[in-house]
Amino acid sequence: MSVHLPRLGEDPGSPFPPPSSALERPNGLLAFGGDLTPARLLNAYALGIFPWFSDGQPILWWSPDPRMVFETQGVQLSSRFQRGLRNCTWVARADTAFDAVVRACATVPRRGQEGTWITAGMQDAYRELHRMGHAHSVEVFDGDVLAGGIYGVALGRMFFGESMFSARSGGSKVALAALAHALHLWGWPLIDAQVENEHLERLGARRLRRDQFIGRLRDLVRSTQAPPGSWTTRFGTLAASELASGARPRPDE
């Protein structure tokens, strides 16, 4: 049985179909086409929609049900990992190496995955959002070496995580925990983790029904508490050792 998938209009401001009309299989596929202009991307995120596609495919837009999210006070690091952080000399900063984080997320090999969905066009699109103050990265440094990082999009008091990477063991976990630590201090309650993933679940992500997610999202993106702009000064420098007691512990595996 064929399924009709809506095609987006050429105008970046053209409307998206309602997320409730997304397919069940594949879970959350909503529409195709359009472009990756800032206006289109920001409109998508505000509605609980994100792009996800590979080279050779049209731009595909998704809004899965359920949605995977982190409560910013709910990131879980194992007790063993937190013990290791106590003497760790790594530090986390924000928006000091955005391009490097995006490039690493696109190129670092991942178990069971060939290629990348972070295409050259996607990288260009998020660099432009970063230039506009809407996309941000958290970088973890071991001295001058980038050990890990995470990047995503901020609207109002909502952060939409896009991807993270580790160049050294545990680098992505520290980046996620540092991001959550800062957002919690700022009064931002949620990090969108998009699709179900066992690794993220072990780190404390949980499922929200799509309607619940969009209901919370609606109020958060309307917040004017945090206008677009660089996070470098606001985030400061966070020692990884400070995260040893800041994340909620879980039993060692």
Side-chain angles (χ1 to χ4, degrees):
M1 180 178 66
S2 62
V3 177
H4 174 70
L5 190 66
R7 180 172 188 162
L8 298 184
E10 294 183 3
D11 181 353
S14 60
F16 283 90
S20 59
S21 68
L23 301 180
E24 292 184 7
R25 294 186 179 180
N27 181 11
L29 182 57
L30 179 67
F32 75 100
D35 51 43
L36 297 174
T37 57
R40 179 101 63 178
L41 284 169
L42 294 176
N43 184 32
Y45 282 107
L47 295 171
I49 300 164
F50 58 87
W52 186 23
F53 62 99
S54 300
D55 270 328
Q57 292 181 323
I59 300 173
L60 301 176
W61 302 90
W62 303 76
S63 185
D65 187 15
R67 191 72 163 232
M68 210 69 167
V69 300
F70 287 97
E71 301 283 348
T72 54
Q73 82 280 16
V75 171
Q76 298 179 3
L77 303 178
S78 72
S79 299
R80 180 183 305 166
F81 190 80
Q82 291 197 52
R83 286 195 298 272
L85 287 180
R86 290 171 189 161
N87 298 314
C88 182
T89 60
W90 294 358
V91 297
R93 302 186 181 96
D95 288 345
T96 64
F98 182 86
D99 288 359
V101 169
V102 173
R103 186 165 54 250
C105 286
T107 58
V108 167
R110 302 175 193 271
R111 184 181 302 174
Q113 177 180 316
E114 296 183 4
T116 180
W117 59 271
I118 309 174
T119 64
M122 288 280 275
Q123 293 180 51
D124 289 342
Y126 288 93
R127 288 191 191 103
E128 179 62 15
L129 285 181
H130 176 64
R131 188 191 67 77
M132 297 170 64
H134 290 292
H136 303 279
S137 60
V138 171
E139 310 96 24
V140 178
F141 288 96
D142 180 2
D144 294 329
V145 177
L146 191 59
I150 186 170
Y151 79 95
V153 175
L155 284 176
R157 291 191 299 122
M158 181 70 203
F159 189 85
F160 303 87
E162 276 298 313
S163 187
M164 57 185 182
F165 82 97
S166 291
R168 298 192 174 172
S169 179
S172 63
K173 293 180 184 178
V174 173
L176 173 64
L179 170 66
H181 175 84
L183 294 180
H184 183 57
L185 290 178
W186 299 347
W188 297 39
L190 284 184
I191 298 172
D192 176 29
Q194 298 183 342
V195 297
E196 294 180 90
N197 178 301
E198 289 183 2
H199 173 63
L200 298 180
E201 194 167 10
R202 288 193 295 270
L203 290 172
R206 65 186 186 92
R207 297 169 180 83
L208 273 185
R209 291 199 324 262
R210 180 170 51 215
D211 61 329
Q212 292 176 320
F213 172 74
I214 290 175
R216 294 188 67 178
L217 171 68
R218 190 176 296 117
D219 291 334
L220 291 172
V221 298
R222 290 173 179 168
S223 172
T224 58
Q225 176 182 322
S230 173
W231 282 2
T232 301
T233 299
R234 187 181 188 190
F235 189 97
T237 299
L238 176 66
S241 58
E242 294 183 43
L243 300 171
S245 58
R248 193 171 68 191
R250 62 175 172 81
D252 292 327
E253 296 178 348

